[in-house]
Amino acid sequence: GERSARMIALGERKKKAYEDSFIGKEVEVLFEEDNEVEKYKLVTSIRGNSMENRISIESPIGKALRGHRVGDRVEVKVNDDYSYYLVIKSIDKTGSEDEEIRGF
């Protein structure tokens, strides 16, 4: 009924706010398979660019990181047959995102 519709809308808003809080952050992750550490900057989908180690929050890694914090081991689902694990080493807020947005 009315109440559950409101709860769902609230949940969506919270989820959105949470995603926004991730955007522009640099996340350092450890890939368990090959013990490699990579640093990524999380950006909105339009601005994802793996050449600059920017990844979209809509990408498999971006989705996997959602809702997790430093120290968490997360499963990245690439497709139905393949997934891998990484561990979140650090999450940094970098200041450059704001200037970039204003510069458009």
Side-chain angles (χ1 to χ4, degrees):
E2 177 67 22
R3 188 181 142 75
S4 62
R6 262 215 315 276
M7 293 302 285
I8 290 166
L10 194 69
E12 282 300 312
R13 268 214 306 281
K14 272 206 182 116
K15 184 170 148 254
K16 175 95 184 72
Y18 188 84
E19 284 167 23
D20 289 348
S21 74
F22 247 118
I23 295 170
K25 292 203 172 156
E26 272 192 350
V27 182
E28 206 175 35
V29 294
L30 169 75
F31 290 88
E32 284 193 350
E33 286 179 324
D34 47 16
N35 217 23
E36 287 285 306
V37 174
E38 287 282 345
K39 233 183 179 154
Y40 293 111
K41 188 166 187 180
L42 288 164
V43 294
T44 49
S45 31
I46 316 151
R47 302 177 64 192
N49 177 353
S50 54
M51 295 296 293
E52 298 176 43
N53 266 18
R54 289 172 177 230
I55 50 166
S56 159
I57 55 166
E58 295 304 323
S59 68
I61 292 181
K63 287 192 167 128
L65 292 175
R66 243 178 244 180
H68 290 280
R69 46 181 60 92
V70 175
D72 284 359
R73 178 175 185 251
V74 296
E75 182 184 13
V76 179
K77 268 189 95 61
V78 179
N79 54 42
D80 291 340
D81 308 313
Y82 179 64
S83 67
Y84 59 89
Y85 286 92
L86 49 84
V87 178
I88 303 172
K89 303 288 282 176
S90 69
I91 300 173
D92 285 334
K93 178 86 184 92
T94 55
S96 61
E97 197 73 1
D98 308 332
E99 286 104 58
E100 284 178 46
I101 291 169
R102 274 207 302 278
F104 276 112

